[in-house]
Amino acid sequence: MKLRDWMQSGAPQIWFTAGSVTISLIMVFGVLWLTAFRGLGHFWPSDLYETTYRDKGQTIRVIGEIAEEEAVSAKRLSDAGFALPSDIAIATRYLFKLGNRDALGFDFRWFPEPLLGEFTQPAALLAVERREWGNFYGYLKAVKENGKIVAEGEAARGELDRRVARTLDLHAEIHRIEKGEVGDVNYGIERLRLKQRQLELDGALTLERRAQLDAKHVELNKTFAALQERLKRIYTEINRDSFNAEIMNGRVVDVPLAKVVRVYRPNAMNVAEKLGFYFVKLWEFVADEPREANTEGGIFPAIFGTVLMVLVMSVLVTPLGIIAAVYMREYAKQGPLIRTIRISVNNLAGVPSIVYGVFGLGFFVYILGGSIDQLFFPEALPAPTFGTPGILWSSLTLALRTLPVVIVATEEGLARIPSTIRHGSLALGATKAETLWRTVLPMASPAMMTGLILAIARAAGEVAPLMLVGVVKLAPSLPLDDNFPFLHLDRKFMHLGFHIYDVGFQSPNVEAARPLVYATSLLLVVIIMVLNLTAITLRNRLRNKYHMLESI
């Protein structure tokens, strides 16, 4: 075959398309692999190394994890102040995670390999994950109770593990009391205050009602005082224990167990133990609350907030988009006005998302939310209830952001349905409304689901508008709890997208936060995929049910 004939046959276009798709898939899977490798590898218990570092005639002991290594030129290291031998052109340097930020002033530092001594992995090296100041590395010396030594040497290991388990149980009890019982009492006190204020505004606060409210208030205060006394006793118990350990500079420091999350010896762990540790850490990342300025702990509130916001947004945008599309396609007279509306809808899809955030803040929060407070929550004023950013306004803002996608997809689905189906239904005696509801809309439902899928994919990753209408760095409570009305759409919430931005760019410890950025990014992608796959599965079932002849 001649080249000209081959070009005219269309084969080059086919190969070009296939190559483009292949390159795109390689890039997508490459990004996912890099994100997964950098993020999921963070939870594996890395070995601890001990070596020496020669600096200006002094020898310093170095203890820590090797977080990263790279080959650099000797000139670059010399410019950084490292005195390397003159015969070295390229050298490897290691980024050590030294931990002990409260004692050393930093917990990451680069060391060039030519200035390091022999690497060892002592089994006795202790790794301690703390609630603040990051990890702690050192050699265990003694376990103390109320400042007195209760175990030393080999006996200190088992004693430390037992006391750490006891401390964690006490922390769980504190969390249950503070988040559960104390939270319920505070909620009840606030409800009583609002009830009294409402009666005052209505002029219905009689002496009898005031006495009833005061009696309930006294009862709640007694419960609160009892809970505070219990917490005081638990805090006294939790602050009882500590341990002594020697760090890399030779100092022996005292570490209170109240600040300890877990203690482990990575160099003494076998593969099975490390694998178990890995899954425990992975589950903690998914199911626990964040700590240490969001650079440690879990991200469950962000996961919950993201999923709930997407679900509320979907409930809001789907009927609005479908109604608008049905009206423009089935009822409105086709003419210049409808064409103008369609052009406007398409243009709305290209408006920057931050503009929607500004609109949501001005209209939804200040105007609509402020009006709701004036009408339905006057007893709470001047403190706003709905007149402040929250998850409802975030969902509405993103519903407005994704509305053009749903409208366009639904209109295309309605346009694909042959007119003969409508005529046949009308000929059998059905009204136009019955034809639309029982015939047209069910057949167009796959297209509606396509619009919803696109809306979910776009909304779940939005961050800029949410920063104005509801998302926060750390939410004190979830929007869903066991207090009436259970779903609190007025509350602020955490979001995975904003969490990535906050940890990656606002963290005081960038090196420590970087793996969590990768892990959170991967989790956000997984959540979007799960939501989309759920919608795609439903769409395919609807498509098969109504025997669509053309793909939507």
Side-chain angles (χ1 to χ4, degrees):
M1 180 183 293
K2 295 181 180 180
L3 179 60
R4 181 178 179 180
D5 296 336
W6 183 72
M7 294 292 294
Q8 293 178 348
S9 67
Q13 288 80 3
I14 296 175
W15 281 102
F16 178 77
T17 303
S20 300
V21 172
T22 302
I23 293 174
S24 300
L25 290 176
I26 291 174
M27 294 174 65
V28 169
F29 285 113
V31 170
L32 290 177
W33 179 87
L34 176 63
T35 306
F37 177 78
R38 291 292 187 92
L40 298 180
H42 169 69
F43 305 108
W44 186 262
S46 302
D47 291 335
L48 294 177
Y49 293 90
E50 180 176 348
T51 184
T52 56
Y53 169 62
R54 301 183 301 277
D55 181 32
K56 300 178 182 178
Q58 295 181 346
T59 301
I60 302 172
R61 181 170 60 167
V62 177
I63 295 176
E65 303 176 13
I66 297 180
E68 191 176 339
E69 64 177 90
E70 63 180 8
V72 296
S73 65
K75 183 179 183 303
R76 182 178 173 186
L77 293 174
S78 299
D79 293 341
F82 295 106
L84 298 181
S86 58
D87 59 338
I88 296 179
I90 301 295
T92 301
R93 66 172 183 172
Y94 297 99
L95 178 62
F96 270 80
K97 182 179 180 180
L98 304 173
N100 308 337
R101 188 167 71 248
D102 50 338
L104 302 177
F106 53 86
D107 55 358
F108 284 89
R109 185 176 175 183
W110 287 99
F111 294 97
E113 184 183 27
L115 301 182
L116 294 174
E118 181 183 359
F119 284 69
T120 60
Q121 296 175 262
L125 268 177
L126 201 69
V128 182
E129 188 177 338
R130 299 183 290 182
R131 300 183 185 275
E132 57 184 27
W133 297 110
N135 284 5
F136 176 92
Y137 304 129
Y139 289 96
L140 178 64
K141 294 298 182 182
V143 177
K144 302 167 70 176
E145 179 180 326
N146 293 326
K148 297 181 180 180
I149 295 177
V150 295
E152 294 181 286
E154 293 295 327
R157 295 185 179 183
E159 187 66 25
L160 177 61
D161 292 338
R162 287 190 292 272
R163 291 179 182 258
V164 167
R166 169 186 173 276
T167 303
L168 293 178
D169 291 339
L170 293 175
H171 268 294
E173 180 69 10
I174 290 173
H175 184 271
R176 185 186 65 81
I177 294 174
E178 290 182 341
K179 291 289 187 179
E181 298 180 42
V182 173
D184 291 342
V185 171
N186 288 332
Y187 181 79
I189 292 174
E190 179 63 14
R191 298 299 298 175
L192 284 178
R193 185 189 71 81
L194 295 177
K195 180 65 175 178
Q196 180 173 336
R197 177 59 179 163
Q198 183 179 15
L199 292 173
E200 290 176 354
L201 294 175
D202 296 340
L205 184 60
T206 62
L207 293 177
E208 181 181 357
R209 289 188 174 182
R210 181 185 289 274
Q212 292 174 351
L213 293 175
D214 289 342
K216 292 180 180 179
H217 197 277
V218 169
E219 183 180 350
L220 288 174
N221 281 337
K222 288 182 179 179
T223 304
F224 182 80
L227 292 173
Q228 290 296 104
E229 188 62 28
R230 284 175 58 191
L231 286 173
K232 183 179 179 180
R233 291 196 301 269
I234 296 175
Y235 275 114
T236 301
E237 293 183 29
I238 208 172
N239 291 321
R240 183 191 72 181
D241 299 328
S242 63
F243 69 91
N244 284 345
E246 179 185 344
I247 61 177
M248 58 179 276
N249 61 8
R251 286 178 51 196
V252 176
V253 299
D254 189 74
V255 180
L257 291 189
K259 304 297 183 183
V260 172
V261 177
R262 63 171 51 85
V263 176
Y264 59 102
R265 300 164 184 82
N267 295 343
M269 298 169 67
N270 56 38
V271 176
E273 291 172 335
K274 288 188 175 183
L275 195 61
F277 180 95
Y278 176 81
F279 284 109
V280 168
K281 285 282 293 181
L282 193 61
W283 174 250
E284 177 189 272
F285 175 71
V286 175
D288 280 6
E289 296 180 353
R291 60 177 188 274
E292 191 78 13
N294 287 348
T295 60
E296 298 287 347
I299 57 172
F300 176 74
I303 298 173
F304 187 90
T306 303
V307 174
L308 181 60
M309 184 210 65
V310 169
L311 293 178
V312 175
M313 182 275 301
S314 302
V315 171
L316 294 172
V317 73
T318 302
L320 291 176
I322 292 174
I323 291 172
V326 168
Y327 174 77
M328 288 191 296
R329 174 60 59 178
E330 301 292 331
Y331 288 97
K333 182 179 180 181
Q334 304 301 311
L337 179 60
I338 294 299
R339 287 197 296 270
T340 303
I341 293 176
R342 285 198 179 96
I343 293 173
S344 300
V345 168
N346 292 329
N347 288 337
L348 281 176
V351 174
S353 58
I354 190 64
V355 175
Y356 287 94
V358 174
F359 174 81
L361 180 65
F363 179 75
F364 291 138
V365 178
Y366 293 150
I367 297 178
L368 187 57
S371 301
I372 291 174
D373 284 350
Q374 292 287 344
L375 291 173
F376 301 104
F377 302 97
E379 68 277 5
L381 295 175
T385 302
F386 280 93
T388 185
I391 192 169
L392 174 60
W393 308 133
S394 297
S395 301
L396 273 172
T397 301
L398 290 187
L400 191 63
R401 175 77 176 90
T402 56
L403 184 61
V405 176
V406 179
I407 292 176
V408 171
T410 304
E411 267 209 279
E412 290 179 355
L414 293 172
R416 287 176 179 268
I417 299 175
S419 59
T420 54
I421 293 180
R422 295 177 176 85
H423 296 160
S425 177
L426 294 173
L428 291 174
T431 64
K432 186 172 184 179
E434 290 174 336
T435 299
L436 179 66
W437 182 255
R438 297 186 178 182
T439 304
V440 176
L441 287 182
M443 296 183 67
S445 57
M448 301 175 193
M449 292 304 302
T450 299
L452 181 60
I453 292 167
L454 296 175
I456 290 174
R458 175 169 294 184
E462 287 285 359
V463 176
L466 300 181
M467 296 171 67
L468 300 176
V469 290
V471 73
V472 291
K473 176 185 178 72
L474 185 62
S477 55
L478 296 177
L480 184 67
D481 57 27
D482 55 356
N483 292 318
F484 183 82
F486 311 117
L487 182 60
H488 306 273
L489 296 178
D490 57 307
R491 290 182 182 175
K492 296 176 176 59
F493 67 104
M494 295 180 66
H495 186 272
L496 285 172
F498 181 77
H499 188 81
I500 294 169
Y501 163 77
D502 176 66
V503 174
F505 298 98
Q506 305 295 317
S507 172
N509 194 347
V510 177
E511 293 292 345
R514 186 180 300 166
L516 290 180
V517 173
Y518 285 106
T520 308
S521 301
L522 179 65
L523 187 59
L524 178 59
V525 172
V526 170
I527 289 176
I528 294 174
M529 289 176 61
V530 170
L531 292 173
N532 284 344
L533 287 175
T534 303
I536 289 171
T537 302
L538 181 59
R539 181 189 64 181
N540 291 339
R541 289 183 178 180
L542 291 172
R543 180 179 294 168
N544 293 333
K545 179 178 179 180
Y546 295 105
H547 305 288
M548 295 295 291
L549 300 178
E550 298 177 0
S551 61
I552 302 299

